[in-house]
């Protein structure tokens, strides 16, 4: 059973990201402040939910949250920053969009950099423990999936509609056959024989 939030603060934001381990596309982060009476029986860590359930949850979260923010860190910026810094930057930008601003930030994972001196806590597997982080994970995942489905139309040979840019065998085989696109992260090891790949 998920708890609503980690702290006693009234305005606590949960934040999470999606797409860190992908070979292509953005890292997408979200931050959500939920009201005390928030409830939805489906809400859980987005990785535990089917795509259909995540899509059902997203409008409910957006309509019922006190505030939410979503931000995209595109592949060029991921390559410049490195993926961990890209994730934290994305979370910061999402928190920046919250109105009202949070008094406390609950972060999924074990790495974060302080944001505007607002107290925070990192929580490993926080998206399976707290509703506000779970809600952020659902938004990050659904916004990212929508984006990957959109760019799939440009490059259907990589089947991003299905693999969402993750390093599946099919995705790696397509890179081996067709090379890398502008959406691929050049700083990532796209293939085990990376040195032979003409980027």
């Amino acid at each position: 059973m998920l708890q609503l939030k980690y702290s006693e603060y009234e305005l606590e934001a949960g934040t999470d990201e999606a797409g860190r381990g992908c070979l292509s596309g953005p890292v997408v982060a979200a931050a959500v402040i939920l009201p005390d009476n928030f409830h939805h029986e489906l809400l859980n860590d987005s990785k535990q939910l089917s795509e259909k359930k995540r899509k059902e949850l997203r409008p409910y979260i957006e309509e019922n949250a006190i505030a939410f923010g979503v931000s995209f860190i595109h592949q060029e910026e991921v390559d410049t920053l490195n993926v961990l810094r890209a994730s934290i930057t994305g979370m910061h930008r999402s928190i920046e969009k919250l109105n009202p601003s949070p008094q406390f930030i609950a972060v999924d994972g074990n790495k974060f950099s302080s944001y505007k001196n607002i107290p925070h806590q990192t929580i490993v597997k926080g998206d399976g423990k707290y509703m506000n982080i779970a809600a952020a994970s659902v938004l990050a995942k659904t916004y990212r999936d929508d984006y990957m489905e959109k760019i799939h139309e440009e490059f259907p040979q990589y089947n991003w509609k299905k693999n969402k840019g993750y390093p599946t065998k099919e995705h790696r085989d397509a890179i081996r056959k067709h090379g890398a696109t502008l959406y691929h992260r050049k700083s990532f090891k796209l293939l085990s024989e990376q040195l032979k790949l003409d980027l």
Side-chain angles (χ1 to χ4, degrees):
M1 185 70 181
L2 269 62
Q3 294 175 55
L4 180 72
K5 57 188 180 184
Y6 175 86
S7 74
E8 296 300 309
Y9 288 92
E10 188 190 348
L11 296 175
E12 176 183 298
T15 186
D16 197 3
E17 49 67 36
R20 237 171 99 167
C22 294
L23 302 179
S24 56
V27 169
V28 179
V32 181
I33 301 175
L34 295 176
D36 286 345
N37 63 352
F38 185 88
H39 177 75
H40 195 294
E41 60 197 21
L42 289 179
L43 185 61
N44 201 342
D45 163 13
S46 67
K47 293 183 284 297
Q48 306 296 323
L49 298 170
S50 66
E51 192 168 351
K52 183 172 178 282
K53 284 179 178 169
R54 287 194 297 265
K55 285 189 168 165
E56 196 180 315
L57 271 164
R58 181 164 112 188
Y60 185 85
I61 292 165
E62 293 182 347
E63 281 160 30
N64 291 281
I66 291 170
F68 71 91
V70 178
S71 64
F72 286 68
I73 307 289
H74 288 283
Q75 59 283 347
E76 304 87 354
E77 204 172 353
V78 173
D79 286 336
T80 307
L81 289 172
N82 85 39
V83 75
L84 174 63
R85 281 178 56 212
S87 301
I88 293 169
T89 301
M91 290 182 194
H92 283 191
R93 287 182 192 166
S94 300
I95 295 161
E96 212 170 291
K97 293 179 178 180
L98 298 175
N99 185 11
S101 286
Q103 299 158 308
F104 188 89
I105 302 162
V107 184
D108 184 63
N110 61 356
K111 297 273 197 301
F112 192 67
S113 309
S114 188
Y115 176 79
K116 289 190 176 173
N117 297 321
I118 297 170
H120 72 267
Q121 177 64 48
T122 56
I123 303 151
V124 174
K125 296 190 164 56
D127 48 4
K129 296 172 185 169
Y130 298 100
M131 288 187 207
N132 53 13
I133 301 178
S137 83
V138 168
L139 295 192
K141 180 87 177 99
T142 52
Y143 274 86
R144 189 179 187 284
D145 284 357
D146 286 356
Y147 180 86
M148 294 309 291
E149 284 169 26
K150 194 174 92 197
I151 63 171
H152 167 87
E153 305 301 321
E154 255 181 278
F155 294 100
Q157 61 270 43
Y158 300 90
N159 203 9
W160 291 330
K161 185 174 64 180
K162 181 161 176 265
N163 63 51
K164 305 298 191 281
Y166 281 92
T168 59
K169 182 181 183 302
E170 174 193 45
H171 189 185
R172 289 200 193 272
D173 286 347
I175 295 168
R176 196 171 285 114
K177 188 175 175 189
H178 303 288
T181 67
L182 63 127
Y183 295 112
H184 281 97
R185 300 176 187 173
K186 305 296 189 274
S187 60
F188 275 51
K189 193 171 180 181
L190 299 178
L191 294 174
S192 49
E193 64 275 23
Q194 185 81 48
L195 296 174
K196 298 180 209 157
L197 181 68
D198 181 21
L199 291 176

